[in-house]
Amino acid sequence: MPEKSTLPNSALNILPLKERMKILRRHMPELNPQVRSHNFQEVNQGLEAADALIEATRCLACAKPGCVVDCPVGVKIKEIVALIYAGEYLAAAAKLREDNALPAITGRVCPQENQCEGGCVLGKKGAPVAIGNLERFVADFERTSGKLGLPANAPATGKSVAIVGSGPAGLSAAGDLIQKGHRVRVFEALHELGGVLVYGIPEFRLPKAIVKEEVDNLRRMGVEFETNVVVGKSVTIDELMRNEHYDAVFVATGAGLPVFLGVPGEHFNGVYSANEFLTRVNLMRAYNSAEYDEPVYDCRDKDVIVVGGGNTAMDAVRTSRRLGARTATLVYRRSEAEMPARKEEVKHAREEGIEFRMLTNPIEFLGDEKGWLTGARCVRMELGEPDASGRRRPVEIKGSEYILPASVAIIGVGTTANPLIQSTTPDLATNKRNYIVADEKTMRTSKRGVFAGGDIVTGSATVILAMGAGRKAAASIHEYLTSGQWTVNSEQA
Amino acid sequence: MYKIVEARNVGLNIKQFVIDAPRIARKQRPGQFLILRLHEKGERIPLTIKSSDPEAGTVTIVVQGVGKTTSLLNCLEAGDSILDIVGPLGRPSEIEKYGTAMILAGSVGTAMALPTSNALKQAGNHVIFIEGARSKEMVVFEDEVRQASSEAYIMTDDGSYGERGLVTKKLNELLAAGRKIDFVLAVGPVPMMRAVAQITAPLAIKTMVSLNSIMVDGTGMCGGCRVLLGGKSKFACVDGPEFDASLVNFEVLMQRNAMYRDKECESLKQFEEHKQEELAQLRAELAAKEKEVARLREELAAGEAHYA
């Protein structure tokens, strides 16, 4: 059935295209930067219905919508926007859920400018439709409406699936598989569910309550969760299959190992990986040190530097600001144009008084005789020829060394694969960088019955890509469980 | 929720707990540790596993009350529960037939060293176990030490039990007497492990130390537990906790372990002033959690019927 016929007549935008193009993009209401840089409340407050309507009216309803093409999971954005225009928010949410299991989350953390909004034709001359804000609007409407339409599960198949990791890939796979009638159990190494969504992304960008709601919804659908299980240590993949009789396993453990700079002085007290700093503050709630026991460096009136240019670095530097840092400086070896962080985070960070020190690279950390960090020896960089990533390679400027004083330095230059599962599952093929090798389409690994997806296969990427991988894996696992057929991709042999 | 099956005082401020944790019990090997969290606002702390019973599904840990969390934990009794326990973590001790193996353990470190001692003995080593403690009340597991070793010495700082002196005094004595030692494991306070390393390194005796650096997740995710090993950074949680003593930078370890000392002292002080309230609060929280778990279990059981 063609998609269009499912939309009500009221979803047909009657305003002439020329008029639509005159409407300005609606701004996301935000907390005042002076206030929010001292608390952990969510920065973005969400669109009002009136603004959502205006924003939805701007959509030109292209015959070939670039937004859908550029969405990694092909969310039917055009129809969703039309349904918002018609005021059919719950229908819009249901349509959104067809392709996106965690819309309230992706509406907040997706890098829309490189995806859907990057493909929006309006962006060529002016501002694209605020698709991310609209996504969040319908997802939040659904969440707070109390009318969450949890889909019914198919009759029980008698098959069971173990999912390793409760991040975006694991959660979305769990949702799809339970609907297909399989028994699903998610294993999580930490004590709280959500993976990077709870230990990594701060409260001011993604409130924990939203992640908890998604988890609770899955629980209601019948998904079982077991926390405090480190697969590879507490139990191996083989033991899950042999002793606990899982018919399939989905490995969605993410890329959780921090990368350090490997420069002298990284052991000084005050030098953190972004993972550690954020885990202490987010998962262990160290920002509320009066009530919670887990400590974090007292940043009040201290100088904090954060190394890196991605969203994690941005989260860390904005977190340090909220913990009372006197100066919170982002140090990045390329220029702002090459920064992988979402544009909105960069904007928010600037408003919150984060200092950007671009084309700067720390080459040594300095400390006092008791082992506490006092600063970083930095060198200035310039951009040379493009490197493998297509970005211009940063090159040191000779003789440009200087010392940047700091009590805290947070390294947010990336993460890599955690080897715990690979090293205890001998027949699971990995690549040179120790990521698990999985077929792009089927997510099948070299080991029969074992699938993998998300950052543990691709390396650090985005929530939406991990979620897409989870859904792809779920479809492939379902296919395998129903057909019993396992054909190993020849490339992996 | 992990039920405490048995709790008993084994020394001054030192308590042994047997806890229901079947997954950990099945997989635990000598030298491995677990991480626990007592309540929703609690910190995660690593503790070495003394032994486990895979049949009964229990693990045994020994806790010395030194900070807030360990002090609160030591108020718990059989029948109480621990909110979160994850493990077994870290690499197991490498058990080989070395010939003569020596274990040096400081007080509560004895509990950590016992399983490795047992395994070394079973592997055919002549095991010399030197247990050290500040005084008589802190000497623990003497019988088990004797059982797990071929030759055992108890040392106390004040001479109130066994011989007077540090464990390194006995080590030096045995070396001076011409005893050939092929392997050493030291488990205890950092200065003790460093002192052992200083004695054995020039003699080229293979020496391992079990490092107790500050951890959060215990799975390699945060790097907070990193130690300098021959100038290179290693994570105690996944690369250790046992490392070649001759490579360990003990100064950096001590500095890093002091990172949160102010907050730790403050927390402990606060706790001691409100001990009974904290304990009552913890028990109330656990009881509420227990109810919640029971409710979830019921819901799950109802769900299970769907799959029957």
Side-chain angles (χ1 to χ4, degrees), chain A residues 189 228-231 233-235, chain B residues 2 21-25 27-28 32-36 44 49 59 84-90 217-219:
Chain A
N228 300 323
V229 180
V230 182
V231 175
K233 283 284 176 192
S234 315
V235 64
Chain B
Y2 302 78
R23 275 198 193 279
I24 306 174
K27 297 288 284 183
Q28 182 261 341
Q32 288 189 299
F33 64 94
L34 52 77
I35 284 184
L36 60 77
R44 293 170 65 101
I49 305 167
V59 295
D84 292 297
I85 304 185
V86 61
L89 300 168
D217 59 287
T219 64

mmCIF file of all heavy atoms in Angstrom, chain A residues 189 228-231 233-235, chain B residues 2 21-25 27-28 32-36 44 49 59 84-90 217-219:
data_model
loop_
_atom_site.group_PDB
_atom_site.id
_atom_site.type_symbol
_atom_site.label_atom_id
_atom_site.label_comp_id
_atom_site.label_asym_id
_atom_site.label_seq_id
_atom_site.Cartn_x
_atom_site.Cartn_y
_atom_site.Cartn_z
ATOM 1 N N ALA A 189 27.001 -4.827 32.119
ATOM 2 C CA ALA A 189 28.146 -4.923 33.037
ATOM 3 C C ALA A 189 27.997 -3.990 34.240
ATOM 4 O O ALA A 189 28.399 -4.334 35.344
ATOM 5 C CB ALA A 189 29.439 -4.601 32.292
ATOM 6 N N ASN A 228 25.078 -6.136 36.284
ATOM 7 C CA ASN A 228 26.250 -6.680 36.980
ATOM 8 C C ASN A 228 26.771 -7.975 36.360
ATOM 9 O O ASN A 228 27.264 -8.846 37.062
ATOM 10 C CB ASN A 228 25.953 -6.923 38.471
ATOM 11 C CG ASN A 228 25.571 -5.649 39.194
ATOM 12 O OD1 ASN A 228 26.108 -4.594 38.915
ATOM 13 N ND2 ASN A 228 24.637 -5.747 40.114
ATOM 14 N N VAL A 229 26.639 -8.119 35.069
ATOM 15 C CA VAL A 229 27.205 -9.290 34.391
ATOM 16 C C VAL A 229 28.192 -8.786 33.344
ATOM 17 O O VAL A 229 27.807 -8.116 32.390
ATOM 18 C CB VAL A 229 26.128 -10.144 33.702
ATOM 19 C CG1 VAL A 229 26.770 -11.346 33.016
ATOM 20 C CG2 VAL A 229 25.081 -10.604 34.704
ATOM 21 N N VAL A 230 29.455 -9.091 33.562
ATOM 22 C CA VAL A 230 30.475 -8.725 32.573
ATOM 23 C C VAL A 230 30.683 -9.942 31.682
ATOM 24 O O VAL A 230 31.353 -10.898 32.079
ATOM 25 C CB VAL A 230 31.803 -8.329 33.258
ATOM 26 C CG1 VAL A 230 32.835 -7.906 32.219
ATOM 27 C CG2 VAL A 230 31.582 -7.213 34.253
ATOM 28 N N VAL A 231 30.077 -9.917 30.500
ATOM 29 C CA VAL A 231 30.243 -11.075 29.619
ATOM 30 C C VAL A 231 31.705 -11.103 29.166
ATOM 31 O O VAL A 231 32.260 -10.087 28.754
ATOM 32 C CB VAL A 231 29.261 -11.023 28.434
ATOM 33 C CG1 VAL A 231 29.530 -12.158 27.456
ATOM 34 C CG2 VAL A 231 27.834 -11.097 28.951
ATOM 35 N N LYS A 233 33.773 -12.258 31.486
ATOM 36 C CA LYS A 233 34.318 -12.486 32.824
ATOM 37 C C LYS A 233 33.335 -13.294 33.675
ATOM 38 O O LYS A 233 33.665 -14.365 34.159
ATOM 39 C CB LYS A 233 34.603 -11.144 33.530
ATOM 40 C CG LYS A 233 35.854 -10.453 33.050
ATOM 41 C CD LYS A 233 37.091 -11.132 33.622
ATOM 42 C CE LYS A 233 38.375 -10.521 33.074
ATOM 43 N NZ LYS A 233 39.544 -11.348 33.403
ATOM 44 N N SER A 234 32.122 -12.757 33.864
ATOM 45 C CA SER A 234 31.124 -13.437 34.695
ATOM 46 C C SER A 234 30.619 -14.685 33.983
ATOM 47 O O SER A 234 30.215 -15.662 34.610
ATOM 48 C CB SER A 234 29.938 -12.521 34.985
ATOM 49 O OG SER A 234 30.356 -11.242 35.352
ATOM 50 N N VAL A 235 30.598 -14.622 32.663
ATOM 51 C CA VAL A 235 30.104 -15.734 31.855
ATOM 52 C C VAL A 235 30.655 -15.493 30.447
ATOM 53 O O VAL A 235 30.872 -14.343 30.055
ATOM 54 C CB VAL A 235 28.547 -15.768 31.887
ATOM 55 C CG1 VAL A 235 27.932 -14.538 31.241
ATOM 56 C CG2 VAL A 235 27.983 -17.024 31.248
ATOM 57 N N TYR B 2 22.072 -9.227 46.517
ATOM 58 C CA TYR B 2 22.914 -10.378 46.805
ATOM 59 C C TYR B 2 22.878 -10.619 48.320
ATOM 60 O O TYR B 2 23.346 -9.782 49.104
ATOM 61 C CB TYR B 2 24.338 -10.119 46.308
ATOM 62 C CG TYR B 2 24.362 -9.810 44.808
ATOM 63 C CD1 TYR B 2 24.008 -8.546 44.324
ATOM 64 C CD2 TYR B 2 24.701 -10.793 43.885
ATOM 65 C CE1 TYR B 2 24.003 -8.272 42.963
ATOM 66 C CE2 TYR B 2 24.701 -10.533 42.517
ATOM 67 C CZ TYR B 2 24.349 -9.255 42.065
ATOM 68 O OH TYR B 2 24.335 -8.983 40.722
ATOM 69 N N ALA B 21 26.125 -15.316 45.343
ATOM 70 C CA ALA B 21 26.444 -14.686 44.058
ATOM 71 C C ALA B 21 26.875 -15.792 43.088
ATOM 72 O O ALA B 21 28.051 -15.971 42.791
ATOM 73 C CB ALA B 21 27.548 -13.646 44.213
ATOM 74 N N PRO B 22 25.883 -16.573 42.615
ATOM 75 C CA PRO B 22 26.194 -17.805 41.884
ATOM 76 C C PRO B 22 27.069 -17.609 40.642
ATOM 77 O O PRO B 22 27.969 -18.407 40.392
ATOM 78 C CB PRO B 22 24.816 -18.342 41.472
ATOM 79 C CG PRO B 22 23.803 -17.545 42.191
ATOM 80 C CD PRO B 22 24.452 -16.333 42.763
ATOM 81 N N ARG B 23 26.804 -16.550 39.879
ATOM 82 C CA ARG B 23 27.608 -16.349 38.664
ATOM 83 C C ARG B 23 29.087 -16.168 38.998
ATOM 84 O O ARG B 23 29.958 -16.715 38.333
ATOM 85 C CB ARG B 23 27.126 -15.115 37.898
ATOM 86 C CG ARG B 23 25.972 -15.395 36.974
ATOM 87 C CD ARG B 23 25.821 -14.290 35.941
ATOM 88 N NE ARG B 23 24.551 -14.407 35.262
ATOM 89 C CZ ARG B 23 24.308 -15.245 34.261
ATOM 90 N NH1 ARG B 23 25.265 -16.050 33.821
ATOM 91 N NH2 ARG B 23 23.122 -15.310 33.705
ATOM 92 N N ILE B 24 29.353 -15.375 40.037
ATOM 93 C CA ILE B 24 30.744 -15.119 40.411
ATOM 94 C C ILE B 24 31.367 -16.395 40.970
ATOM 95 O O ILE B 24 32.503 -16.737 40.652
ATOM 96 C CB ILE B 24 30.831 -13.966 41.431
ATOM 97 C CG1 ILE B 24 30.097 -12.733 40.877
ATOM 98 C CG2 ILE B 24 32.278 -13.632 41.759
ATOM 99 C CD1 ILE B 24 29.992 -11.586 41.852
ATOM 100 N N ALA B 25 30.589 -17.110 41.785
ATOM 101 C CA ALA B 25 31.096 -18.330 42.414
ATOM 102 C C ALA B 25 31.527 -19.356 41.356
ATOM 103 O O ALA B 25 32.516 -20.057 41.528
ATOM 104 C CB ALA B 25 30.027 -18.922 43.327
ATOM 105 N N LYS B 27 32.743 -18.803 38.412
ATOM 106 C CA LYS B 27 33.866 -18.422 37.550
ATOM 107 C C LYS B 27 35.124 -17.991 38.302
ATOM 108 O O LYS B 27 36.172 -17.840 37.696
ATOM 109 C CB LYS B 27 33.427 -17.263 36.637
ATOM 110 C CG LYS B 27 32.314 -17.604 35.672
ATOM 111 C CD LYS B 27 32.785 -18.512 34.549
ATOM 112 C CE LYS B 27 33.586 -17.730 33.514
ATOM 113 N NZ LYS B 27 33.981 -18.607 32.395
ATOM 114 N N GLN B 28 35.014 -17.767 39.599
ATOM 115 C CA GLN B 28 36.129 -17.160 40.332
ATOM 116 C C GLN B 28 37.389 -18.025 40.328
ATOM 117 O O GLN B 28 37.325 -19.241 40.499
ATOM 118 C CB GLN B 28 35.688 -16.870 41.771
ATOM 119 C CG GLN B 28 36.745 -16.198 42.617
ATOM 120 C CD GLN B 28 37.487 -17.173 43.524
ATOM 121 O OE1 GLN B 28 37.020 -18.274 43.792
ATOM 122 N NE2 GLN B 28 38.662 -16.768 43.974
ATOM 123 N N GLN B 32 41.401 -13.053 41.732
ATOM 124 C CA GLN B 32 40.385 -12.169 41.141
ATOM 125 C C GLN B 32 39.620 -11.403 42.220
ATOM 126 O O GLN B 32 39.647 -11.754 43.395
ATOM 127 C CB GLN B 32 39.422 -12.986 40.286
ATOM 128 C CG GLN B 32 40.071 -13.473 38.992
ATOM 129 C CD GLN B 32 39.054 -14.089 38.063
ATOM 130 O OE1 GLN B 32 38.417 -15.075 38.394
ATOM 131 N NE2 GLN B 32 38.914 -13.508 36.878
ATOM 132 N N PHE B 33 38.939 -10.359 41.778
ATOM 133 C CA PHE B 33 38.230 -9.510 42.730
ATOM 134 C C PHE B 33 36.805 -9.248 42.252
ATOM 135 O O PHE B 33 36.418 -9.654 41.155
ATOM 136 C CB PHE B 33 38.994 -8.192 42.936
ATOM 137 C CG PHE B 33 39.092 -7.327 41.710
ATOM 138 C CD1 PHE B 33 38.175 -6.320 41.459
ATOM 139 C CD2 PHE B 33 40.113 -7.524 40.778
ATOM 140 C CE1 PHE B 33 38.276 -5.522 40.328
ATOM 141 C CE2 PHE B 33 40.219 -6.733 39.641
ATOM 142 C CZ PHE B 33 39.287 -5.725 39.415
ATOM 143 N N LEU B 34 36.033 -8.603 43.102
ATOM 144 C CA LEU B 34 34.699 -8.188 42.712
ATOM 145 C C LEU B 34 34.545 -6.703 43.043
ATOM 146 O O LEU B 34 35.368 -6.127 43.741
ATOM 147 C CB LEU B 34 33.625 -9.045 43.401
ATOM 148 C CG LEU B 34 33.667 -9.213 44.923
ATOM 149 C CD1 LEU B 34 33.156 -7.980 45.639
ATOM 150 C CD2 LEU B 34 32.829 -10.420 45.331
ATOM 151 N N ILE B 35 33.505 -6.101 42.508
ATOM 152 C CA ILE B 35 33.196 -4.717 42.846
ATOM 153 C C ILE B 35 31.790 -4.688 43.397
ATOM 154 O O ILE B 35 30.892 -5.355 42.850
ATOM 155 C CB ILE B 35 33.340 -3.790 41.614
ATOM 156 C CG1 ILE B 35 34.831 -3.549 41.338
ATOM 157 C CG2 ILE B 35 32.597 -2.462 41.811
ATOM 158 C CD1 ILE B 35 35.130 -2.582 40.217
ATOM 159 N N LEU B 36 31.594 -3.977 44.503
ATOM 160 C CA LEU B 36 30.249 -3.919 45.057
ATOM 161 C C LEU B 36 29.822 -2.492 45.331
ATOM 162 O O LEU B 36 30.637 -1.565 45.387
ATOM 163 C CB LEU B 36 30.131 -4.790 46.318
ATOM 164 C CG LEU B 36 31.013 -4.516 47.530
ATOM 165 C CD1 LEU B 36 30.501 -3.321 48.316
ATOM 166 C CD2 LEU B 36 31.021 -5.734 48.436
ATOM 167 N N ARG B 44 31.285 2.535 44.184
ATOM 168 C CA ARG B 44 31.672 1.179 43.783
ATOM 169 C C ARG B 44 33.069 0.935 44.336
ATOM 170 O O ARG B 44 33.967 1.739 44.110
ATOM 171 C CB ARG B 44 31.686 1.065 42.263
ATOM 172 C CG ARG B 44 30.308 1.173 41.609
ATOM 173 C CD ARG B 44 30.443 1.306 40.115
ATOM 174 N NE ARG B 44 31.024 0.126 39.504
ATOM 175 C CZ ARG B 44 30.318 -0.825 38.870
ATOM 176 N NH1 ARG B 44 29.014 -0.717 38.769
ATOM 177 N NH2 ARG B 44 30.928 -1.869 38.338
ATOM 178 N N ILE B 49 38.390 -11.534 46.282
ATOM 179 C CA ILE B 49 37.579 -12.677 46.694
ATOM 180 C C ILE B 49 38.486 -13.680 47.413
ATOM 181 O O ILE B 49 39.540 -14.046 46.907
ATOM 182 C CB ILE B 49 36.920 -13.340 45.465
ATOM 183 C CG1 ILE B 49 36.108 -12.295 44.679
ATOM 184 C CG2 ILE B 49 36.043 -14.507 45.893
ATOM 185 C CD1 ILE B 49 35.678 -12.762 43.294
ATOM 186 N N VAL B 59 30.220 -16.642 47.393
ATOM 187 C CA VAL B 59 31.603 -16.162 47.417
ATOM 188 C C VAL B 59 31.897 -15.617 48.805
ATOM 189 O O VAL B 59 30.998 -15.166 49.506
ATOM 190 C CB VAL B 59 31.864 -15.046 46.376
ATOM 191 C CG1 VAL B 59 31.722 -15.554 44.975
ATOM 192 C CG2 VAL B 59 30.951 -13.845 46.606
ATOM 193 N N ASP B 84 24.542 -4.327 44.766
ATOM 194 C CA ASP B 84 25.172 -4.715 43.506
ATOM 195 C C ASP B 84 26.517 -5.379 43.755
ATOM 196 O O ASP B 84 27.322 -4.863 44.530
ATOM 197 C CB ASP B 84 25.429 -3.475 42.635
ATOM 198 C CG ASP B 84 24.147 -2.830 42.142
ATOM 199 O OD1 ASP B 84 23.413 -3.495 41.405
ATOM 200 O OD2 ASP B 84 23.884 -1.674 42.522
ATOM 201 N N ILE B 85 26.726 -6.497 43.078
ATOM 202 C CA ILE B 85 28.064 -7.112 43.089
ATOM 203 C C ILE B 85 28.356 -7.575 41.670
ATOM 204 O O ILE B 85 27.525 -8.228 41.036
ATOM 205 C CB ILE B 85 28.154 -8.337 44.028
ATOM 206 C CG1 ILE B 85 27.747 -7.959 45.455
ATOM 207 C CG2 ILE B 85 29.571 -8.907 44.014
ATOM 208 C CD1 ILE B 85 27.919 -9.087 46.452
ATOM 209 N N VAL B 86 29.523 -7.228 41.175
ATOM 210 C CA VAL B 86 29.899 -7.668 39.840
ATOM 211 C C VAL B 86 31.277 -8.329 39.894
ATOM 212 O O VAL B 86 32.147 -7.919 40.647
ATOM 213 C CB VAL B 86 29.854 -6.493 38.837
ATOM 214 C CG1 VAL B 86 30.827 -5.399 39.225
ATOM 215 C CG2 VAL B 86 30.107 -6.963 37.416
ATOM 216 N N GLY B 87 31.407 -9.392 39.112
ATOM 217 C CA GLY B 87 32.692 -10.082 39.092
ATOM 218 C C GLY B 87 32.564 -11.427 38.423
ATOM 219 O O GLY B 87 31.511 -11.745 37.875
ATOM 220 N N PRO B 88 33.557 -12.272 38.486
ATOM 221 C CA PRO B 88 34.894 -11.959 39.003
ATOM 222 C C PRO B 88 35.643 -11.104 38.001
ATOM 223 O O PRO B 88 35.527 -11.302 36.807
ATOM 224 C CB PRO B 88 35.536 -13.342 39.130
ATOM 225 C CG PRO B 88 34.873 -14.175 38.083
ATOM 226 C CD PRO B 88 33.481 -13.640 37.941
ATOM 227 N N LEU B 89 36.433 -10.167 38.516
ATOM 228 C CA LEU B 89 37.150 -9.241 37.644
ATOM 229 C C LEU B 89 38.659 -9.439 37.783
ATOM 230 O O LEU B 89 39.137 -10.017 38.756
ATOM 231 C CB LEU B 89 36.765 -7.797 38.003
ATOM 232 C CG LEU B 89 35.270 -7.474 37.863
ATOM 233 C CD1 LEU B 89 34.932 -6.133 38.510
ATOM 234 C CD2 LEU B 89 34.839 -7.476 36.407
ATOM 235 N N GLY B 90 39.360 -8.943 36.803
ATOM 236 C CA GLY B 90 40.818 -9.042 36.810
ATOM 237 C C GLY B 90 41.300 -10.397 36.335
ATOM 238 O O GLY B 90 40.521 -11.332 36.165
ATOM 239 N N ASP B 217 34.543 1.194 37.282
ATOM 240 C CA ASP B 217 33.763 0.124 36.664
ATOM 241 C C ASP B 217 34.429 -1.244 36.778
ATOM 242 O O ASP B 217 33.743 -2.257 36.852
ATOM 243 C CB ASP B 217 33.506 0.443 35.192
ATOM 244 C CG ASP B 217 34.812 0.614 34.441
ATOM 245 O OD1 ASP B 217 35.462 1.647 34.651
ATOM 246 O OD2 ASP B 217 35.195 -0.278 33.684
ATOM 247 N N GLY B 218 35.751 -1.290 36.737
ATOM 248 C CA GLY B 218 36.442 -2.571 36.844
ATOM 249 C C GLY B 218 36.488 -3.373 35.557
ATOM 250 O O GLY B 218 36.870 -4.541 35.554
ATOM 251 N N THR B 219 36.090 -2.771 34.442
ATOM 252 C CA THR B 219 36.067 -3.507 33.178
ATOM 253 C C THR B 219 36.981 -2.895 32.119
ATOM 254 O O THR B 219 36.928 -3.283 30.966
ATOM 255 C CB THR B 219 34.639 -3.558 32.601
ATOM 256 O OG1 THR B 219 34.223 -2.211 32.274
ATOM 257 C CG2 THR B 219 33.659 -4.131 33.581
#
